[in-house]
Amino acid sequence: MNNFSSSNLFRLADLGCSVGPNTFTAMQNILEAVQHKYQSQGLASKIPEFQVFFNDQGSNDFNTLFTSMPKERQYYAAGVPGSFYGRLFPQSFLHFVHSSYALHWLSRVPEELLDKNSPAWNKGRIHCTNASDAVVDAYAAQFTKDMEGFLDARGKELVSGGMMVLITLGCPNGMPYSNLPTGLMFDFLESCLNNMAKEVSNSTGLLSEGQVDSFNLPVYAASPMEITELVERNGCFSIERLELTNVRTEADPKLDEKACVMHLRAGFESIISKHFGNDIIDELFDRLVKKVKESFHLILSSCRGGTQLSVVLQRK
């Protein structure tokens, strides 16, 4: 707490906040943890005021975010639109940064995937799952570029001693993406899209093979080794904790096919409809439910490994 004693204002940011309510829960938990830290050190009289910055892309529905904000909150709130892969705040401004399930989104689809003359042209595929090495390398290179920008920006914005907690999709070192639950679901989704495109290839339909060829999901699950290398290369942070955990626990409700598809649809419907249009959505996800049922045992077995990457960094 000595790092923050010169100010009576504790600033924290949630990067990739979406529209709630998870962001409000996370911010309240962090706030209470800081308060408890002060109290445990006999500094209850010096507990600071709190200011929370909610960040997401400019297209995020900030109106919904702020109208659903808890009325009894213990912090001042502000919205900060913009990409977290670049600077968002002044120098040495923040004390704590949190980001949950946002960093797996790439800033853009690698250009090589759409170039027919490139070895990374991803024809017939929508992700790097089961794709060529060139495609996997293109995804990894884009993630590296994005994370370098993210770490560089946060290194400037966090005070010395400031903390950063990142939770995102993860992949065990050396494991193919096809062994992950998300990889399997992307593979099933890809199969449904290709089947729909082939069915209408010789007639006027809702979906074409060309549309599938030009569609790629900008998502990447990094390994602990990749994150470690990026943090060490950046040099601004010490790694306090880095681990892969299982998203699901024994206490969670039993996983079923429809729940898997529902989660995928919630996260990706907007990007799919933007590319293919709204007319295919219901048919696509109905087919996906059937596809998942056929191979649901693979989903269940893939969920046994750790696929959630938790990282705690401290600004040097």
Side-chain angles (χ1 to χ4, degrees), residues 162-280:
M163 302 297 296
M164 184 155 60
V165 173
L166 311 174
I167 303 170
T168 187
L169 289 178
C171 181
N173 295 329
M175 178 176 285
Y177 211 105
S178 56
N179 288 10
L180 300 180
T182 49
L184 289 167
M185 291 298 292
F186 291 164
D187 211 24
F188 297 153
L189 179 65
E190 173 189 292
S191 177
C192 292
L193 285 168
N194 278 317
N195 287 338
M196 291 175 70
K198 289 174 182 176
E199 289 171 9
V200 299
S201 60
N202 296 317
S203 62
T204 302
L206 299 175
L207 184 60
S208 70
E209 291 185 16
Q211 283 179 296
V212 178
D213 292 343
S214 61
F215 179 69
N216 292 277
L217 293 169
V219 173
Y220 186 80
S223 68
M225 184 181 297
E226 287 175 296
I227 296 297
T228 299
E229 290 176 354
L230 285 165
V231 172
E232 291 179 347
R233 189 188 312 160
N234 172 268
C236 291
F237 300 93
S238 61
I239 299 175
E240 302 299 310
R241 183 177 178 182
L242 193 158
E243 64 177 352
L244 278 171
T245 57
N246 199 325
V247 179
R248 296 184 58 79
T249 67
E250 295 295 331
D252 288 332
K254 184 179 179 181
L255 194 66
D256 60 36
E257 301 91 338
K258 288 186 177 180
C260 285
V261 174
M262 179 185 69
H263 287 303
L264 187 79
R265 183 168 183 170
F268 295 95
E269 179 175 348
S270 61
I271 193 172
I272 294 171
S273 61
K274 183 177 180 180
H275 185 84
F276 295 103
N278 293 321
D279 292 341
I280 74 158

Side-chain angles (χ1 to χ4, degrees), residues 6-252:
S6 60
S7 172
N8 196 41
L9 181 62
F10 189 97
R11 303 184 189 93
L12 56 154
D14 190 25
L15 307 184
C17 64
S18 190
V19 296
N22 291 344
T23 184
F24 304 134
T25 302
M27 293 301 97
Q28 184 62 31
N29 289 341
I30 294 168
L31 184 151
E32 290 176 359
V34 173
Q35 290 176 327
H36 180 265
K37 186 72 171 179
Y38 271 89
Q39 292 166 348
S40 67
Q41 295 184 358
L43 300 172
S45 63
K46 296 185 178 181
I47 292 177
E49 293 186 293
F50 294 88
Q51 185 172 22
V52 176
F53 296 92
F54 295 94
N55 157 261
D56 213 310
Q57 296 283 4
S59 57
N60 187 57
D61 188 354
F62 283 97
N63 285 335
T64 295
L65 175 74
F66 286 114
T67 54
S68 60
M69 186 169 289
K71 292 182 173 57
E72 303 302 320
R73 62 186 181 276
Q74 298 173 281
Y75 53 82
Y76 300 100
V80 180
S83 171
F84 50 54
Y85 290 125
R87 287 288 299 275
L88 293 167
F89 302 97
Q91 186 93 12
S92 300
F93 183 75
L94 297 172
H95 301 101
F96 198 104
V97 169
H98 172 268
S99 182
S100 180
Y101 280 87
L103 283 169
H104 59 273
W105 288 103
L106 300 177
S107 63
R108 64 179 180 86
V109 171
E111 294 178 354
E112 308 95 298
L113 273 57
L114 304 177
D115 182 357
K116 294 182 179 181
N117 297 316
S118 168
W121 183 37
N122 208 22
K123 177 177 172 57
R125 297 198 176 279
I126 66 170
H127 191 248
C128 61
T129 305
N130 289 320
S132 67
D133 289 344
V135 172
V136 175
D137 290 344
Y139 267 88
Q142 185 62 51
F143 177 80
T144 295
K145 181 179 179 180
D146 288 343
M147 277 302 296
E148 286 175 342
F150 179 89
L151 291 171
D152 182 65
R154 304 298 85 76
K156 293 180 173 66
E157 295 165 353
L158 273 163
V159 301
S160 177
M163 302 297 296
M164 184 155 60
V165 173
L166 311 174
I167 303 170
T168 187
L169 289 178
C171 181
N173 295 329
M175 178 176 285
Y177 211 105
S178 56
N179 288 10
L180 300 180
T182 49
L184 289 167
M185 291 298 292
F186 291 164
D187 211 24
F188 297 153
L189 179 65
E190 173 189 292
S191 177
C192 292
L193 285 168
N194 278 317
N195 287 338
M196 291 175 70
K198 289 174 182 176
E199 289 171 9
V200 299
S201 60
N202 296 317
S203 62
T204 302
L206 299 175
L207 184 60
S208 70
E209 291 185 16
Q211 283 179 296
V212 178
D213 292 343
S214 61
F215 179 69
N216 292 277
L217 293 169
V219 173
Y220 186 80
S223 68
M225 184 181 297
E226 287 175 296
I227 296 297
T228 299
E229 290 176 354
L230 285 165
V231 172
E232 291 179 347
R233 189 188 312 160
N234 172 268
C236 291
F237 300 93
S238 61
I239 299 175
E240 302 299 310
R241 183 177 178 182
L242 193 158
E243 64 177 352
L244 278 171
T245 57
N246 199 325
V247 179
R248 296 184 58 79
T249 67
E250 295 295 331
D252 288 332

